[in-house]
Amino acid sequence: MVRVSTRRGVVELASRQDDSIPDGVVFIPFAYVEAAANLLTNPKLDPFGKIPEFNFCAAKVERVEPVREAAE
């Protein structure tokens, strides 16, 4: 799990390394509620197609330690 933060918001999501993505780049699909990347980027829509632009922004990525529940 990682926490991805930008000046517009924060999301926590599961992650994996993908060697096809360049170093220093974080790719988050917009199609998943649990990884609401649209909260992190500019909300502007294309004026003609009314769809979001290809969004990018500076982001900070931090490891999130899993929460452990106490034994009963």
Side-chain angles (χ1 to χ4, degrees), residues 30-43:
F30 276 63
Y32 302 103
V33 171
E34 62 274 11
N38 56 328
L39 298 175
L40 304 178
T41 61
N42 189 341

Side-chain angles (χ1 to χ4, degrees), residues 47-63:
F48 300 104
K50 304 298 183 208
I51 58 174
E53 298 175 353
F54 180 73
N55 294 314
F56 58 93
C57 64
K60 178 180 181 180
V61 180
E62 303 171 279
R63 183 179 188 174

Side-chain angles (χ1 to χ4, degrees), residues 68-72:
R68 296 183 185 199
E69 294 187 26
E72 292 184 27

Side-chain angles (χ1 to χ4, degrees), residues 21-37:
I21 303 294
D23 289 344
V25 173
V26 176
F27 175 79
I28 304 173
F30 276 63
Y32 302 103
V33 171
E34 62 274 11

